[in-house]
Amino acid sequence: MSAKTTGRVARALRLTRWGMVWERGARAFWPVATILACLFAAFALGIVAAVPPQALLWLAGMALVALIAAAIRGGLSYRRVRAVDAVERLDRTLPDRPLAALADRAAIGGEGALWQAHLAQMQARAAQARAVRPDAGLARRDPFALRLAGLVALAMALLFGGAAQMGQGVQAIAATVSRPLAGDTGTAVGPSWEGWAEPPAYTRRPTIYLNALPEGEVLELPRGSAVSFRLYGDGVTVTQGIGAAVGDDPRAPGFRADASGVIEVAGRRFDVTVLPDLAPLIRAGAAPVRRADGRLVQDFRAEDDHGVMAGRARIDLDLVAVDRRFGLAAPPEPREAVELALPLPRGGDRREVSGQLVEDLSRHPWANLPVTLVLEAVDGIDQTGAAAPMQMVLPGRRFFEPRAAALIELRRDLLWSRENAGRSAEILRAITWRPDGFIDQPLYLQLRGGVRVLESGPLSGEARDKLAEALWKAAIQLEDGGLADALERMKQAQEKLSEAIRNGASPDEIQRLMDELREATDAYTRMLAEQGERDPAERFTQNQGGQRITGDQIQQMMDEIQRLMNEGRMAEAQQLLEQFNRMMENLQVQQAQGGEGQQGQGNPSMNGLADTLRQQQQLSDEAFRDLQEQFGEGQLGQPSERGGEFADRQRQLREELGQQRGLLPGQGSDLGDQAGRQLDEAGRAMEDAEQALRDGDTGGALQRQADAIESMREGMRALSDMLGQQDRRQAGEGQEGQDGQQPEGQPGEGPRAGSDATTRDLRPMLDPLGRQMDGNGNMITLGDPLAEGADPSRRARDLLDEIRRRSGQRERPQDERDYLGRLLERF
């Protein structure tokens, strides 16, 4: 027999023998397995704990006897599988039993040709051997399908059972076994009571099992801890002096630990020391900052011995500091203080937290007026700590167009007091004395209608608010000079051209749409130039990298699009058209962020990306919080009600990132291209996250959002490296021009390739607080999202902590706690 044939037969014999072992084991011990599965299900599903104590002992004895009997029967009926048994089983499945024939010996003529031919024929048939499928025949041995009932019970226990029910079952059996027999006057062996001390959830301390505490040990509990007992024996009582009782069940008394004292139960004494809970502390960072877009930015830092649960900022009008002239001379109408929630980390250790409050209050009546800012922090028992009041001017949008500024001041006077209605009507009449210079006739007519509203009589609060909203919109329209409408026309022209290219329109139609796009682009850039003349610091020809974009360059880009379309390279023309549209939109974004307050706020590219990153982090946090709420309400796996809203916001962030990508500086350099690739990857991740949100897959969306955040961080780091190189290069050129020498470490031929020292100099650095710095030691203010990020492992830990907290809350339904316990066991 050849080696190949021998190996095939040996493998078939080995598998057949294993199958026979399973057959005989299943035949002998299937009753044992069925009984064990049913017993496990009875414990895991809480059936044992529900059986009355009188019947539990009898049932446990019967189950034990049945298990022992089934094990003895199986052991007596089981027979070891021998090698010859496997050969016999396999040989019966082959024609002419070749394995037995190969073991035969010829009595006469064993070396003859006929015998050799016989052996060769048997070897060929033996080579067809295949392992025999095992068949225990349980269907005829178990006509009532008891084994299937055991399997179903085991599956139900694994899916819906838990460790808590099993523990209760074991305790029930132990209590039954330890119950004194009839006529026995001895004491019970089992515990007559059980007790637990559960600290408040915000302290993140574990629950204490009082029975396990050593004698004489002082029990230290945070204030507000819940102490509960379960009394089993008759005549067992609890006395305490630590706080008010909770609940009215005499068999399950509970207390709230409010003061140090003593607890006594069944002769056991517990000395309780209630730890004081200190009020939280909160400190404001530097003076509030007004961003270029008018938003308030305030840093803060808070701490608490157990953790800060909430924070808020309260803003009140500083009436003493207000310049009470003109429209502010009248007494102000009562207005409630502004309360803003401080952003806090969703999970983790909250004993020391830091963050940044960013809020747009430009439309509030107190905008650009003196106010008092007070920061407050709240702990788990509603203790409040407040920072020292800060005097400031509430940030608001600045208007440079005279008529727009006058309308905003008029709006402020009306919101200050309706007594200014007559004075405001005179001012508004003066502004609208002649329609010349207004953007369009409807705006002029709308403002004239406001004059009639002010002069019609007593002004109601509702009419005042509607008129204030109309004045705000009119001021924005005057300030922007129709820029938003021009941008919208340009976008519509670009979308129609893109649609025509995708649908294969005729050349005449494409040319007509291209001419329409040229006209819309010219109108848009002309309005940007007009606004730049009013404020030279905001000229549209400055992009994020500090390079000028002239009208000739815009024309050259459109000519390139025209050339690609003429050559039939529509895919390339479509891609360049999208880049062109992002670039033109980015000019409008820079216009809104320029001007006053722009100095000293870092590179615009970094600031814009940091804002997008912060908004992406906020969106991810809200989506994760929504997923937690679904989990808490038992709706996990169902579509979120806010999925559409989250998806729309994700799309807006992706479009903003595309705009910033269009004018990313340093294109063509290694670091610039690296930053671009990372932002492209972030855009793809945002697109996947948007689709996942629309499909109701919040978990998948969170993962892709985390990928987008990480890619944006990497892109910003590459951009920071590139800007640091540019700064050092410019500094080196300036130094060389002054003294004719190269600065140290900057030879004229530039850094040598592979120089470790130069590489270390160009690498981003971190300060002791973990904030990123560029190569010059300048701080890159990226905000909290860059510092914290969206680490999936951290999110998993936060969710696991929340599950542990809820599973320890005894007031929750038992079914919910059992389900949480199973989650903890599995994950």
Side-chain angles (χ1 to χ4, degrees), residues 4-272:
K4 182 176 180 180
T5 302
T6 303
R8 184 181 297 112
V9 173
R11 180 175 179 274
L13 284 172
R14 184 167 59 253
L15 295 177
T16 301
R17 188 173 184 180
W18 289 349
M20 294 179 67
V21 170
W22 180 86
E23 279 184 4
R24 296 185 180 182
R27 292 171 183 172
F29 297 106
W30 72 266
V32 176
T34 301
I35 294 175
L36 289 175
C38 293
L39 289 177
F40 178 82
F43 277 94
L45 295 175
I47 299 176
V48 174
V51 175
Q54 296 79 4
L56 183 59
L57 187 60
W58 290 98
L59 292 177
M62 294 172 58
L64 182 61
V65 170
L67 182 63
I68 295 175
I72 294 174
R73 174 184 175 279
L76 294 176
S77 62
Y78 182 78
R79 294 291 182 272
R80 185 175 63 87
V81 180
R82 300 172 300 171
V84 65
D85 297 333
V87 172
E88 178 66 20
R89 168 71 69 85
L90 182 62
D91 205 18
R92 285 201 303 265
T93 63
L94 300 173
D96 299 331
R97 301 174 67 92
L99 298 181
L102 290 174
D104 292 342
R105 295 292 181 269
I108 301 175
E111 300 297 332
L114 182 60
W115 178 255
Q116 297 299 327
H118 169 69
L119 292 179
Q121 186 179 19
M122 293 299 102
Q123 290 176 359
R125 293 179 179 178
Q128 302 175 3
R130 298 292 184 272
V132 181
R133 185 184 301 273
D135 182 13
L138 297 181
R140 61 179 181 273
R141 289 178 170 80
D142 180 22
F144 296 104
L146 298 179
R147 67 193 188 283
L148 299 181
L151 287 176
V152 172
L154 179 62
M156 297 292 289
L158 293 175
L159 289 175
F160 304 106
Q165 291 92 328
M166 295 191 68
Q168 294 174 359
V170 173
Q171 291 177 1
I173 291 181
T176 303
V177 173
S178 62
R179 186 183 301 275
L181 300 177
D184 187 5
T185 58
T187 15
V189 180
S192 60
W193 62 272
E194 286 184 291
W196 299 267
E198 181 181 5
Y202 71 90
T203 64
R204 295 182 175 271
R205 291 194 175 194
T207 300
I208 302 174
Y209 185 55
L210 300 183
N211 299 64
L213 286 180
E215 290 283 351
E217 180 175 345
V218 177
L219 181 60
E220 295 184 346
L221 297 176
R223 183 182 176 187
S225 299
V227 182
S228 58
F229 290 90
R230 177 75 65 178
L231 307 180
Y232 303 121
D234 296 333
V236 180
T237 59
V238 179
T239 59
Q240 57 86 29
I242 63 172
V246 178
D248 53 0
D249 187 357
R251 307 297 298 175
F255 314 98
R256 175 186 172 93
D258 293 325
S260 300
V262 176
I263 300 177
E264 292 185 357
V265 52
R268 181 78 182 272
R269 174 189 173 98
F270 295 95
D271 292 323
V272 180

Side-chain angles (χ1 to χ4, degrees), residues 626 630 635 638-645:
D626 184 71
Q630 293 183 53
Q635 299 178 356
Q638 300 182 10
S640 171
E641 297 180 357
R642 302 184 61 189
E645 174 192 347

Side-chain angles (χ1 to χ4, degrees), residues 772-791:
Q772 189 174 353
M773 306 171 68
D774 61 17
N776 294 330
N778 298 323
M779 191 67 62
I780 302 174
T781 56
L782 301 180
D784 289 342
L786 187 60
E788 295 180 5
D791 183 6

Side-chain angles (χ1 to χ4, degrees), residues 638-697:
Q638 300 182 10
S640 171
E641 297 180 357
R642 302 184 61 189
E645 174 192 347
F646 290 153
D648 293 338
R649 291 171 57 186
Q650 186 66 75
R651 176 180 55 80
Q652 294 175 1
L653 288 177
R654 177 169 57 84
E655 293 175 352
E656 291 180 7
L657 182 63
Q659 296 170 8
Q660 295 161 356
R661 173 69 177 89
L663 284 179
L664 193 69
Q667 298 182 7
S669 63
D670 293 340
L671 291 175
D673 292 343
Q674 179 183 351
R677 288 192 299 269
Q678 291 294 338
L679 295 185
D680 290 341
E681 180 63 29
R684 288 189 289 270
M686 288 181 176
E687 185 176 5
D688 295 341
E690 176 190 349
Q691 187 60 43
L693 289 170
R694 296 193 187 280
D695 296 340
D697 183 12

